[in-house]
Amino acid sequence: MAAALSCAFSCNHYQRKCKLVTPCCNKIYTCRFCHDEQESHTLNRKAVKEVVCMVCGERQDVRYNCYSCEVKFGKYYCLECNLFDDEDKGQFHCEGCGICRVGGGDNFFHCDVCNMCLSIGMLGNHKCVENRSHTDCPICMEDMHSSRSNLHIPKCGHLLHETCFQNMDKAGHKLCPICKDSFKV
């Protein structure tokens, strides 16, 4: 019964108990990714000012619980990013990045030069590239700063999606697409 109830409050991206009222088109979507998949524009999640409770249907200002039925919209919530999620993914808000990340805040640090969160294992052991993640993946052209995909940092310091790197490697491409340095260590 709990699994059926959980599925009723979810989309392909999140489990939550509220929907977002999108200020850009005044439509209601479960999350920004659902919005972006259906619309010809992207949703600025920080511009969202209203949510709709999925339990009682009450439309209200963004908050962590419903003011009518008092259900908590997500076990994790960030009112700065308007992110609500019932699934534990080790979510944390990074002030430096200005967005929520997954994987546990204790497992990452924010590099002010790279301007992104990096694995704690890279602390003092990485090549800084200014604003490293504020660019598109050189393979698939998706924004990397807000990407939900894992990222790969080769020894040259440039950034690409892990899956894009793996696909290049499988295809026999062994050079960074930006600087042409070898991916070999």
Side-chain angles (χ1 to χ4, degrees):
M1 181 70 172
L5 184 63
S6 176
C7 289
F9 301 117
S10 66
C11 63
N12 291 335
H13 311 104
Y14 295 105
Q15 293 178 18
R16 56 171 53 157
K17 295 179 189 78
C18 68
K19 292 186 177 190
L20 308 176
V21 179
T22 61
C24 48
C25 53
N26 200 31
K27 294 180 182 176
I28 297 172
Y29 286 96
T30 305
C31 76
R32 68 184 178 103
F33 296 110
C34 291
H35 170 276
D36 294 353
E37 289 168 359
Q38 297 297 313
E39 302 295 337
S40 61
H41 57 278
T42 58
L43 172 63
N44 175 356
R45 63 181 155 204
K46 293 183 179 184
V48 172
K49 302 295 182 213
E50 292 181 294
V51 294
V52 175
C53 178
M54 294 172 76
V55 175
C56 71
E58 189 73 37
R59 187 170 172 158
Q60 57 202 281
D61 290 341
V62 173
R63 47 187 287 146
Y64 73 93
N65 68 328
C66 178
Y67 77 84
S68 181
C69 72
E70 298 183 5
V71 70
K72 195 171 177 182
F73 292 139
K75 291 176 187 170
Y76 175 84
Y77 61 90
C78 174
L79 297 179
E80 187 174 334
C81 292
N82 294 320
L83 178 62
F84 306 89
D85 200 349
D86 270 339
E87 185 180 353
D88 182 7
K89 300 172 188 159
Q91 300 94 326
F92 65 98
H93 182 83
C94 174
E95 290 296 328
C97 289
I99 60 175
C100 290
R101 300 285 190 191
V102 297
D106 292 343
N107 298 319
F108 295 89
F109 73 99
H110 183 85
C111 175
D112 290 328
V113 176
C114 295
N115 199 14
M116 69 179 288
C117 289
L118 297 169
S119 169
I120 200 74
M122 297 179 77
L123 184 60
N125 187 27
H126 72 282
K127 180 179 180 178
C128 286
V129 175
E130 193 170 351
N131 290 320
R132 176 191 314 251
S133 72
H134 293 268
T135 184
D136 294 337
C137 175
I139 306 304
C140 69
M141 302 309 292
E142 178 187 320
D143 171 59
M144 289 189 288
H145 184 70
S146 60
S147 177
R148 297 175 69 219
S149 302
N150 289 334
L151 302 176
H152 179 80
I153 305 173
K155 66 177 182 160
C156 62
H158 292 109
L159 193 64
L160 57 155
H161 289 115
E162 180 66 34
T163 53
C164 294
F165 168 75
Q166 290 172 359
N167 290 337
M168 284 183 60
D169 189 51
K170 285 178 189 172
H173 301 286
K174 307 293 183 190
L175 302 178
C176 173
I178 297 171
C179 67
K180 307 299 183 213
D181 275 0
S182 173
F183 283 141
K184 299 271 186 203
V185 176

